[in-house]
Amino acid sequence: MNTLLVIAKEPRPGRVKTRLTPPFTPVEAAALAEAALADTLAVVAAAPARRRVLVLDGAPGPWLPPGFDVVPQCAGGLDARLADAFAGCTGPALLIGMDTPQVTPGLLDVDFRDCDAYFGPAEDGGFWALGLARPEPALLRGVPMSTPVTGAVQRERLLAAGLRVRDLPPLRDVDTAADARTVAALAPDGRFAARLAACAPAADRRRVSR
């Protein structure tokens, strides 16, 4: 693998994981986002790659491990920002987000020798990973993002371009409190699970007091 890309937002209260509020406060939601991002970056750091890039909306913080190039996200919709992330790559690249802290290094160890693209579907209809042997930004521009058919449209775009697509296992994004509990159970030893365990009792007390 030449390049592993992570696209992420700086985990600041009120800017990330807003669908976790309620039951969590904006500060707790940001702490959960930071833990998910830290877990994701640790996995990427452990996976084989010549280059690791964080494509960031915001500023890096202490959660960023060494060994990453940090580049800013461009302006525009998510499709434009994903396309721009691939535009900065000169060889095979795999991009993931910060919403699947249960990801493992093995899932990111992809081989393009007999395929042109990797596609990782998300359970909500989107996708958690996209890999391209030859990064082509036009493959992403215009794909409707954050809809129940985003993944299907993106995968069809790859096939329509004549690419040989290999599917990765589906993963669940962390968007809601139910997602958070399910994902934490899949990776119980991670930072995300620990942070959820610390935040959940306060969230439960607030829910009962209403």
Side-chain angles (χ1 to χ4, degrees):
M1 171 57 61
N2 278 14
T3 304
L4 285 173
L5 302 153
V6 179
I7 188 162
K9 284 184 178 180
E10 178 188 356
R12 288 167 47 194
R15 293 192 71 247
V16 292
K17 295 297 160 206
T18 55
R19 290 174 61 189
L20 291 177
T21 306
F24 302 102
T25 67
V27 170
E28 290 168 340
L32 288 166
E34 179 176 330
L37 178 55
D39 280 345
T40 301
L41 294 174
V43 167
V44 171
R50 293 182 182 177
R51 184 181 181 218
R52 298 170 181 84
V53 181
L54 175 62
V55 186
L56 184 63
D57 176 3
W63 37 263
L64 178 65
F68 282 79
D69 297 331
V70 179
V71 300
Q73 292 184 27
C74 72
L78 181 55
D79 63 316
R81 288 179 277 137
L82 293 174
D84 188 67
F86 278 107
C89 301
T90 57
L94 179 72
L95 179 145
I96 66 170
M98 60 183 285
D99 300 333
T100 51
Q102 73 274 38
V103 71
T104 65
L107 287 174
L108 305 183
D109 187 8
V110 298
D111 187 345
F112 286 98
R113 279 180 293 184
D114 60 353
C115 69
D116 306 302
Y118 277 85
F119 183 77
E123 293 184 7
D124 63 1
F127 59 93
W128 68 269
L130 180 64
L132 297 172
R134 289 183 172 182
E136 176 48 68
L139 291 169
L140 293 106
R141 294 193 183 106
V143 172
M145 295 290 160
S146 302
T147 78
V149 298
T150 292
V153 173
Q154 181 63 76
R155 192 177 187 281
E156 181 57 34
R157 179 76 69 87
L158 303 176
L159 294 172
L163 303 186
R164 298 167 298 167
V165 179
R166 177 172 291 179
D167 290 318
L168 295 168
L171 293 183
R172 185 167 181 169
D173 288 335
V174 174
D175 290 320
T176 66
D179 295 332
R181 290 189 292 270
T182 298
V183 169
L186 294 172
D189 299 324
R191 297 172 182 85
F192 182 78
R195 177 56 62 184
L196 181 64
C199 292
D204 290 341
R205 286 195 298 271
R206 286 191 295 270
R207 187 162 42 236
V208 170
S209 67
R210 288 194 178 100

mmCIF file with all atom_site columns, all heavy atoms in Angstrom, residues 187-198:
data_model
loop_
_atom_site.group_PDB
_atom_site.id
_atom_site.type_symbol
_atom_site.label_atom_id
_atom_site.label_alt_id
_atom_site.label_comp_id
_atom_site.label_asym_id
_atom_site.label_entity_id
_atom_site.label_seq_id
_atom_site.pdbx_PDB_ins_code
_atom_site.Cartn_x
_atom_site.Cartn_y
_atom_site.Cartn_z
_atom_site.occupancy
_atom_site.B_iso_or_equiv
_atom_site.pdbx_formal_charge
_atom_site.auth_seq_id
_atom_site.auth_comp_id
_atom_site.auth_asym_id
_atom_site.auth_atom_id
_atom_site.pdbx_PDB_model_num
ATOM 1  N N   . ALA A 1 187 ? -14.988 -3.463 19.953 1.00 0.00 ? 187 ALA A N   1
ATOM 2  C CA  . ALA A 1 187 ? -13.586 -3.126 20.238 1.00 0.00 ? 187 ALA A CA  1
ATOM 3  C C   . ALA A 1 187 ? -13.480 -2.702 21.697 1.00 0.00 ? 187 ALA A C   1
ATOM 4  O O   . ALA A 1 187 ? -13.219 -1.535 22.006 1.00 0.00 ? 187 ALA A O   1
ATOM 5  C CB  . ALA A 1 187 ? -13.103 -2.013 19.308 1.00 0.00 ? 187 ALA A CB  1
ATOM 6  N N   . PRO A 1 188 ? -13.691 -3.647 22.619 1.00 0.00 ? 188 PRO A N   1
ATOM 7  C CA  . PRO A 1 188 ? -13.809 -3.287 24.038 1.00 0.00 ? 188 PRO A CA  1
ATOM 8  C C   . PRO A 1 188 ? -12.529 -2.774 24.676 1.00 0.00 ? 188 PRO A C   1
ATOM 9  O O   . PRO A 1 188 ? -12.581 -2.176 25.759 1.00 0.00 ? 188 PRO A O   1
ATOM 10 C CB  . PRO A 1 188 ? -14.263 -4.597 24.686 1.00 0.00 ? 188 PRO A CB  1
ATOM 11 C CG  . PRO A 1 188 ? -13.761 -5.673 23.770 1.00 0.00 ? 188 PRO A CG  1
ATOM 12 C CD  . PRO A 1 188 ? -13.874 -5.094 22.392 1.00 0.00 ? 188 PRO A CD  1
ATOM 13 N N   . ASP A 1 189 ? -11.394 -3.003 24.051 1.00 0.00 ? 189 ASP A N   1
ATOM 14 C CA  . ASP A 1 189 ? -10.129 -2.577 24.648 1.00 0.00 ? 189 ASP A CA  1
ATOM 15 C C   . ASP A 1 189 ? -9.625  -1.240 24.116 1.00 0.00 ? 189 ASP A C   1
ATOM 16 O O   . ASP A 1 189 ? -8.532  -0.797 24.480 1.00 0.00 ? 189 ASP A O   1
ATOM 17 C CB  . ASP A 1 189 ? -9.055  -3.643 24.406 1.00 0.00 ? 189 ASP A CB  1
ATOM 18 C CG  . ASP A 1 189 ? -9.412  -4.975 25.035 1.00 0.00 ? 189 ASP A CG  1
ATOM 19 O OD1 . ASP A 1 189 ? -10.009 -4.960 26.139 1.00 0.00 ? 189 ASP A OD1 1
ATOM 20 O OD2 . ASP A 1 189 ? -9.119  -6.030 24.437 1.00 0.00 ? 189 ASP A OD2 1
ATOM 21 N N   . GLY A 1 190 ? -10.405 -0.580 23.281 1.00 0.00 ? 190 GLY A N   1
ATOM 22 C CA  . GLY A 1 190 ? -9.962  0.660  22.666 1.00 0.00 ? 190 GLY A CA  1
ATOM 23 C C   . GLY A 1 190 ? -10.273 1.888  23.502 1.00 0.00 ? 190 GLY A C   1
ATOM 24 O O   . GLY A 1 190 ? -10.997 1.834  24.510 1.00 0.00 ? 190 GLY A O   1
ATOM 25 N N   . ARG A 1 191 ? -9.746  3.020  23.056 1.00 0.00 ? 191 ARG A N   1
ATOM 26 C CA  . ARG A 1 191 ? -10.005 4.295  23.722 1.00 0.00 ? 191 ARG A CA  1
ATOM 27 C C   . ARG A 1 191 ? -11.484 4.656  23.638 1.00 0.00 ? 191 ARG A C   1
ATOM 28 O O   . ARG A 1 191 ? -12.039 5.228  24.573 1.00 0.00 ? 191 ARG A O   1
ATOM 29 C CB  . ARG A 1 191 ? -9.162  5.402  23.075 1.00 0.00 ? 191 ARG A CB  1
ATOM 30 C CG  . ARG A 1 191 ? -7.654  5.228  23.201 1.00 0.00 ? 191 ARG A CG  1
ATOM 31 C CD  . ARG A 1 191 ? -6.947  6.282  22.355 1.00 0.00 ? 191 ARG A CD  1
ATOM 32 N NE  . ARG A 1 191 ? -5.501  6.160  22.382 1.00 0.00 ? 191 ARG A NE  1
ATOM 33 C CZ  . ARG A 1 191 ? -4.802  5.354  21.590 1.00 0.00 ? 191 ARG A CZ  1
ATOM 34 N NH1 . ARG A 1 191 ? -5.432  4.573  20.711 1.00 0.00 ? 191 ARG A NH1 1
ATOM 35 N NH2 . ARG A 1 191 ? -3.481  5.299  21.664 1.00 0.00 ? 191 ARG A NH2 1
ATOM 36 N N   . PHE A 1 192 ? -12.095 4.330  22.494 1.00 0.00 ? 192 PHE A N   1
ATOM 37 C CA  . PHE A 1 192 ? -13.498 4.682  22.324 1.00 0.00 ? 192 PHE A CA  1
ATOM 38 C C   . PHE A 1 192 ? -14.369 3.976  23.351 1.00 0.00 ? 192 PHE A C   1
ATOM 39 O O   . PHE A 1 192 ? -15.237 4.600  23.978 1.00 0.00 ? 192 PHE A O   1
ATOM 40 C CB  . PHE A 1 192 ? -13.959 4.336  20.906 1.00 0.00 ? 192 PHE A CB  1
ATOM 41 C CG  . PHE A 1 192 ? -15.388 4.707  20.647 1.00 0.00 ? 192 PHE A CG  1
ATOM 42 C CD1 . PHE A 1 192 ? -15.730 6.018  20.382 1.00 0.00 ? 192 PHE A CD1 1
ATOM 43 C CD2 . PHE A 1 192 ? -16.383 3.745  20.679 1.00 0.00 ? 192 PHE A CD2 1
ATOM 44 C CE1 . PHE A 1 192 ? -17.062 6.382  20.161 1.00 0.00 ? 192 PHE A CE1 1
ATOM 45 C CE2 . PHE A 1 192 ? -17.710 4.091  20.453 1.00 0.00 ? 192 PHE A CE2 1
ATOM 46 C CZ  . PHE A 1 192 ? -18.043 5.410  20.192 1.00 0.00 ? 192 PHE A CZ  1
ATOM 47 N N   . ALA A 1 193 ? -14.164 2.690  23.539 1.00 0.00 ? 193 ALA A N   1
ATOM 48 C CA  . ALA A 1 193 ? -14.957 1.941  24.515 1.00 0.00 ? 193 ALA A CA  1
ATOM 49 C C   . ALA A 1 193 ? -14.738 2.488  25.924 1.00 0.00 ? 193 ALA A C   1
ATOM 50 O O   . ALA A 1 193 ? -15.693 2.600  26.710 1.00 0.00 ? 193 ALA A O   1
ATOM 51 C CB  . ALA A 1 193 ? -14.600 0.458  24.453 1.00 0.00 ? 193 ALA A CB  1
ATOM 52 N N   . ALA A 1 194 ? -13.497 2.841  26.238 1.00 0.00 ? 194 ALA A N   1
ATOM 53 C CA  . ALA A 1 194 ? -13.214 3.386  27.567 1.00 0.00 ? 194 ALA A CA  1
ATOM 54 C C   . ALA A 1 194 ? -13.890 4.736  27.756 1.00 0.00 ? 194 ALA A C   1
ATOM 55 O O   . ALA A 1 194 ? -14.456 5.022  28.834 1.00 0.00 ? 194 ALA A O   1
ATOM 56 C CB  . ALA A 1 194 ? -11.703 3.507  27.768 1.00 0.00 ? 194 ALA A CB  1
ATOM 57 N N   . ARG A 1 195 ? -13.849 5.571  26.741 1.00 0.00 ? 195 ARG A N   1
ATOM 58 C CA  . ARG A 1 195 ? -14.485 6.880  26.853 1.00 0.00 ? 195 ARG A CA  1
ATOM 59 C C   . ARG A 1 195 ? -16.000 6.738  26.971 1.00 0.00 ? 195 ARG A C   1
ATOM 60 O O   . ARG A 1 195 ? -16.643 7.462  27.741 1.00 0.00 ? 195 ARG A O   1
ATOM 61 C CB  . ARG A 1 195 ? -14.117 7.732  25.643 1.00 0.00 ? 195 ARG A CB  1
ATOM 62 C CG  . ARG A 1 195 ? -14.777 9.104  25.597 1.00 0.00 ? 195 ARG A CG  1
ATOM 63 C CD  . ARG A 1 195 ? -14.511 9.916  26.843 1.00 0.00 ? 195 ARG A CD  1
ATOM 64 N NE  . ARG A 1 195 ? -13.084 10.176 27.018 1.00 0.00 ? 195 ARG A NE  1
ATOM 65 C CZ  . ARG A 1 195 ? -12.559 10.810 28.064 1.00 0.00 ? 195 ARG A CZ  1
ATOM 66 N NH1 . ARG A 1 195 ? -13.357 11.214 29.040 1.00 0.00 ? 195 ARG A NH1 1
ATOM 67 N NH2 . ARG A 1 195 ? -11.262 11.020 28.146 1.00 0.00 ? 195 ARG A NH2 1
ATOM 68 N N   . LEU A 1 196 ? -16.583 5.825  26.212 1.00 0.00 ? 196 LEU A N   1
ATOM 69 C CA  . LEU A 1 196 ? -18.030 5.606  26.306 1.00 0.00 ? 196 LEU A CA  1
ATOM 70 C C   . LEU A 1 196 ? -18.401 5.136  27.707 1.00 0.00 ? 196 LEU A C   1
ATOM 71 O O   . LEU A 1 196 ? -19.403 5.589  28.279 1.00 0.00 ? 196 LEU A O   1
ATOM 72 C CB  . LEU A 1 196 ? -18.478 4.590  25.264 1.00 0.00 ? 196 LEU A CB  1
ATOM 73 C CG  . LEU A 1 196 ? -19.982 4.287  25.251 1.00 0.00 ? 196 LEU A CG  1
ATOM 74 C CD1 . LEU A 1 196 ? -20.776 5.533  24.866 1.00 0.00 ? 196 LEU A CD1 1
ATOM 75 C CD2 . LEU A 1 196 ? -20.291 3.129  24.313 1.00 0.00 ? 196 LEU A CD2 1
ATOM 76 N N   . ALA A 1 197 ? -17.612 4.241  28.260 1.00 0.00 ? 197 ALA A N   1
ATOM 77 C CA  . ALA A 1 197 ? -17.891 3.751  29.611 1.00 0.00 ? 197 ALA A CA  1
ATOM 78 C C   . ALA A 1 197 ? -17.828 4.879  30.635 1.00 0.00 ? 197 ALA A C   1
ATOM 79 O O   . ALA A 1 197 ? -18.574 4.876  31.623 1.00 0.00 ? 197 ALA A O   1
ATOM 80 C CB  . ALA A 1 197 ? -16.899 2.653  29.985 1.00 0.00 ? 197 ALA A CB  1
ATOM 81 N N   . ALA A 1 198 ? -16.949 5.863  30.406 1.00 0.00 ? 198 ALA A N   1
ATOM 82 C CA  . ALA A 1 198 ? -16.841 6.996  31.322 1.00 0.00 ? 198 ALA A CA  1
ATOM 83 C C   . ALA A 1 198 ? -17.993 7.979  31.160 1.00 0.00 ? 198 ALA A C   1
ATOM 84 O O   . ALA A 1 198 ? -18.432 8.595  32.133 1.00 0.00 ? 198 ALA A O   1
ATOM 85 C CB  . ALA A 1 198 ? -15.512 7.711  31.100 1.00 0.00 ? 198 ALA A CB  1
#
